[in-house]
Amino acid sequence: MPTPFRVGHGYDVHAFAEGRPLWLGGVLFPNSPVGLLGHSDADVLLHALCDALLGAAGLGDIGKYFPPSDAQHKDRASIEFVEEVCSLLTTRGWRIGNVDMTVLAEFPKIGPRTDEMKIVLANALAISPDAIGIKATTNEGLGFVGRGEGICAHAVALIYREE
């Protein structure tokens, strides 16, 4: 008997880089002095989310679908990755129940922007904003995150099939 519910976990990390815009959760942080280094817009939160959704469905990871070696993904908006992953799941009969994400960063302050992120993600995932959890914490000065060298994110997703 197939399992009607599945859970996936995603993790991603990107270093800071000067001269790049900072995108987190599909939202631009225009006053940030640095952005994240990556082939796409490097939205670490959305990359972790894609991996959680793909993992829950047993479909691999973000690199399988949006490899950094592919020029068409250069500077591409990661919200488009989320939309495509959502479409992949839908075509295979999966629906998204909820997602929960944590950003680990010394800066910028995420809390004031989480409601905006939830609206962006709710539209991309076709779920209610109240089915999206976004939290942030610092690394208390420890490790690369604590030294302000980059940001990492974790995401968990619950998907299901309607019986």
Side-chain angles (χ1 to χ4, degrees):
M1 174 182 215
T3 307
F5 296 96
R6 290 191 185 174
V7 174
H9 175 262
Y11 170 83
D12 196 34
V13 59
H14 284 276
F16 283 122
E18 291 186 15
R20 289 189 49 98
L22 179 61
W23 287 90
L24 288 172
V27 172
L28 178 64
F29 284 72
N31 297 325
S32 178
V34 292
L36 293 171
L37 183 62
H39 187 68
S40 66
D41 67 5
D43 189 325
V44 67
L45 186 60
L46 298 189
H47 294 185
L49 176 59
C50 286
D51 275 348
L53 292 166
L54 290 166
L59 296 174
D61 65 20
I62 191 171
K64 178 178 177 180
Y65 298 92
F66 313 105
S69 58
D70 190 335
Q72 74 175 337
H73 303 306
K74 178 75 175 137
D75 297 324
R76 190 166 172 207
S78 295
I79 196 69
E80 294 176 10
F81 298 164
V82 172
E83 291 166 346
E84 288 186 33
V85 166
C86 189
S87 180
L88 277 171
L89 269 61
T90 300
T91 61
R92 287 166 172 78
W94 293 107
R95 297 198 50 180
I96 299 166
N98 74 299
V99 298
D100 187 35
M101 298 164 283
T102 304
V103 178
L104 290 89
E106 298 302 310
F107 68 90
K109 295 295 181 197
I110 308 298
R113 306 289 303 273
T114 57
D115 287 343
E116 187 179 350
M117 291 178 190
K118 286 182 178 187
I119 291 168
V120 169
L121 287 171
N123 289 329
L125 298 170
I127 61 175
S128 173
D130 69 357
I132 299 169
I134 302 174
K135 303 167 304 298
T137 189
T138 67
N139 241 29
E140 301 295 331
L142 300 174
F144 75 91
V145 170
R147 291 188 300 270
E149 296 171 9
I151 297 177
C152 68
H154 291 269
V156 178
L158 173 73
I159 63 174
Y160 66 95
R161 285 199 169 113
E162 294 187 274
E163 299 289 319

